Amino acid sequence: MVAAALSGCDLEWDKPSLSAPPPARFVEAKPHPAPPISGGRDFAVKFGSKELTQLVERALDDNLDLAAAIARITQADAQARVSSAAQWPAVSLTDIARTTRTPGTTINVGSASSGFNPATSSSSTSSLTSSGFRARNFGFFQLGLTASYELDFWGKNEDASMAARILANVSRFDRNVVEISTVAAVLNAYFQVLTAQDRLVIARQNVAIAQQVMDAINARLEVGVATVLDTSQQQTILAQQQASIPPLEQTLRQTRNNLAVLLGQTPESMTIKGGSLIKLNFPRIAPGLPSEVLLRRPDVAEAEARLASQEFSVLQARAAFFPSISLTSLYGFQSALLSTLLLRPDAIAIQLAGTLTQPVFDGWNLQGQYDQQKGRYSELAALYRKQILTALSDTENALIAIRETDRQMKFLSVAVSAARTALGAAEMTLREGTIDIVTLAQTQTSYFQTQDQLAVARLSHFQAATSLYQALGGGWGPTTREIEIARSNAAYEADRGPWP
């Protein structure tokens, strides 16, 4: 019968290949092994800012995204227990108290027409109507245990349990992904606060310089050695520098507000002192080997766990094609009268039953579900391979960003030094009265712009360090993976109530 039922079903499964060995080395780094970088708190310490370290610690304790991720772990653990329930017998206490009144007009028709004497009836309770029909009340009382269990010959219930238990691992890996992202967001937000403060200092200094030049040109205008064109051009430069301050103030305040949200607080309840990005230390991070990076990334572990869970879902859908054998039983007491329900051997009721169910034709419902699960597995396999490539690409990109932003900073430092010298010479020439106003304007603008560009490049350099922290797994590693899996198994075994 099973062969006949399955003859029209395609139960073959060619699993997609996952063979994609990582490269031996990174293009942008030497091929040397390296230990995992420290976790979020320890990594923040490397920048040499006590305030930054405290902000990261507060975020790890109070961030609401992390709280939501932890709540999802609780949900996943509970779902694992729910999905595993079918592996155990279901036992329940059944208490029934029922009274049924049957109209005499449906059961005493023959008796009434033939002159049957109702007094000889054995009904528990009756009432005689004027027409001779007698209604009857039937009582039924039951107290006992019922149990049911499905024999898992084909592993369907076990596959469902394993799929859910592995998804509980996924929730823990996802929590680590959120933690790394949270730490990175706090770091970058703090760097943006410091950069905005640095750029405000630069902008105000440039306003002061432009104002000094403006005063000097006005003095020359009063004695007739400058023109209105000269003063108008300088006024334009001064106004432009003044106009650069409000956007920086806006960025500073809004970034502080965003940082407060990351710490799970209202903007009004916290104060960030800040300082200067120049005073922070830049951490040196060794990326190690590509194979090490893949083991350290929780998002890679998450994608791998989703794929492993889906494989059990495919097996579960395949097992649904085969016969299902269920056992049911009843043991308890039954009686038509409540007074005779208990403590009577003749009131004991026992029932045993076995049910064999074999799908024969369901409009290809099971085949569709099986194909759907296989398609989902292929999708997750592709996403898993993509996550591996993304991890390697993230690391290469972060290494490139660190190297190139460092070069950019060096060039801009030279440019700022040269522009400062040129501006000093131009101011000297102005005081001597031989300066061309166009040359002076160009010299000021060049100095102002290169200073601001250097501050922005320094921000990009520190953000590249944050990106490398994320790309390398942020202190996560194979040991952490094993710990999380052990926690998941412990959560599955614990708090399951009084029954196994």
Side-chain angles (χ1 to χ4, degrees):
M1 181 177 67
V2 176
L6 300 180
S7 60
C9 302
D10 180 14
L11 299 184
E12 297 298 326
W13 183 31
D14 294 329
K15 294 174 59 176
S17 175
L18 299 177
S19 59
R25 55 159 295 175
F26 288 111
V27 176
E28 300 294 330
K30 296 181 180 180
H32 295 309
I37 64 176
S38 55
R41 290 180 174 88
D42 295 334
F43 184 70
V45 172
K46 295 181 181 294
F47 292 96
S49 170
K50 184 178 180 180
E51 183 179 48
L52 176 58
T53 303
Q54 292 174 344
L55 291 175
V56 169
E57 290 176 347
R58 290 166 63 183
L60 292 177
D61 293 334
D62 301 329
N63 180 265
L64 298 180
D65 289 330
L66 270 175
I70 294 173
R72 288 195 292 271
I73 292 177
T74 303
Q75 297 175 50
D77 289 342
Q79 184 59 49
R81 290 193 289 272
V82 171
S83 299
S84 302
Q87 292 183 291
W88 305 91
V91 181
S92 59
L93 178 65
T94 303
D95 185 7
I96 300 175
R98 182 176 67 236
T99 298
T100 303
R101 180 180 177 85
T102 303
T105 54
T106 63
I107 61 176
N108 293 323
V109 175
S111 301
S113 61
S114 61
F116 174 71
N117 185 4
T120 62
S121 172
S122 61
S123 60
S124 59
T125 306
S126 61
S127 60
L128 186 63
T129 66
S130 59
S131 58
F133 294 98
R134 185 183 298 275
R136 295 183 182 181
N137 294 334
F138 297 93
F140 179 80
F141 300 92
Q142 174 180 303
L143 178 63
L145 296 175
T146 59
S148 62
Y149 180 65
E150 180 181 1
L151 300 180
D152 197 20
F153 278 117
W154 319 108
K156 178 178 64 176
N157 296 332
E158 183 179 3
D159 292 337
S161 173
M162 289 302 300
R165 292 183 63 181
I166 295 176
L167 283 179
N169 298 341
V170 170
S171 67
R172 285 170 167 78
F173 300 152
D174 177 69
R175 186 260 175 209
N176 290 304
V177 173
V178 174
E179 177 179 325
I180 294 172
S181 300
T182 299
V183 171
V186 172
L187 292 174
N188 285 336
Y190 190 72
F191 297 154
Q192 290 170 353
V193 168
L194 299 186
T195 300
Q197 291 176 325
D198 287 339
R199 295 177 70 189
L200 279 170
V201 171
I202 293 171
R204 292 186 177 113
Q205 290 175 347
N206 293 340
V207 168
I209 292 173
Q211 185 63 58
Q212 292 174 0
V213 174
M214 186 75 223
D215 294 341
I217 294 177
N218 285 334
R220 286 167 55 85
L221 179 64
E222 292 177 357
V223 297
V225 293
T227 65
V228 174
L229 177 61
D230 297 338
T231 58
S232 298
Q233 289 178 329
Q234 184 59 31
Q235 183 64 48
T236 300
I237 295 175
L238 175 59
Q240 288 175 341
Q241 291 306 306
Q242 292 171 332
S244 68
I245 293 178
L248 295 176
E249 289 282 5
Q250 175 182 342
T251 299
L252 175 60
R253 296 175 184 176
Q254 290 179 343
T255 305
R256 282 174 171 168
N257 294 341
N258 295 337
L259 194 52
V261 174
L262 289 172
L263 272 60
Q265 299 181 10
T266 62
E268 298 80 7
S269 64
M270 66 174 296
T271 302
I272 299 175
K273 180 180 178 181
S276 174
L277 194 60
I278 300 175
K279 297 181 180 180
L280 294 190
N281 301 325
F282 188 84
R284 300 298 174 184
I285 308 172
L289 302 175
S291 57
E292 294 173 334
V293 171
L294 297 181
L295 291 175
R296 296 170 187 162
R297 296 262 301 210
D299 53 351
V300 173
E302 180 182 351
E304 183 179 353
R306 289 188 186 278
L307 185 62
S309 173
Q310 184 59 30
E311 181 172 357
F312 284 102
S313 295
V314 174
L315 297 177
Q316 177 190 2
R318 186 178 186 274
F321 286 95
F322 297 96
S324 173
I325 301 177
S326 300
L327 303 178
T328 58
S329 64
L330 166 68
Y331 179 86
F333 300 89
Q334 294 180 352
S335 174
L337 299 175
L338 182 61
S339 60
T340 59
L341 179 62
L342 299 178
L343 304 178
R344 294 177 61 91
D346 51 346
I348 295 178
I350 299 176
Q351 178 181 328
L352 296 174
T355 304
L356 173 65
T357 303
Q358 168 61 55
V360 177
F361 179 74
D362 61 356
W364 293 278
N365 175 52
L366 292 178
Q367 183 66 51
Q369 294 185 24
Y370 181 49
D371 292 339
Q372 181 186 28
Q373 297 300 333
K374 290 192 297 181
R376 175 61 176 164
Y377 183 90
S378 298
E379 176 190 1
L380 292 177
L383 294 176
Y384 172 58
R385 293 194 297 268
K386 180 183 177 181
Q387 197 63 51
I388 291 176
L389 299 179
T390 300
L392 300 176
S393 176
D394 288 345
T395 306
E396 292 281 8
N397 289 340
L399 292 171
I400 293 172
I402 289 177
R403 179 172 301 177
E404 296 305 322
T405 53
D406 183 62
R407 293 179 60 205
Q408 183 186 21
M409 288 171 55
K410 292 177 180 178
F411 291 138
L412 285 173
S413 296
V414 173
V416 168
S417 179
R420 184 182 298 112
T421 301
L423 180 60
E427 291 175 342
M428 181 67 69
T429 307
L430 175 64
R431 287 192 293 269
E432 294 174 352
T434 59
I435 186 67
D436 176 57
I437 194 62
V438 175
T439 302
L440 176 61
Q442 292 176 344
T443 304
Q444 290 180 90
T445 302
S446 177
Y447 177 62
F448 299 159
Q449 290 178 348
T450 51
Q451 278 187 304
D452 191 69
Q453 290 171 358
L454 178 58
V456 174
R458 188 177 293 109
L459 171 62
S460 299
H461 191 51
F462 276 84
Q463 288 178 333
T466 302
S467 297
L468 186 57
Y469 161 80
Q470 285 185 278
L472 298 182
W476 204 81
T479 302
T480 311
R481 181 187 302 202
E482 296 171 0
I483 293 173
E484 296 291 13
I485 293 175
R487 288 175 178 171
S488 179
N489 292 334
Y492 173 76
E493 297 296 335
D495 298 331
R496 291 194 293 180
W499 307 105

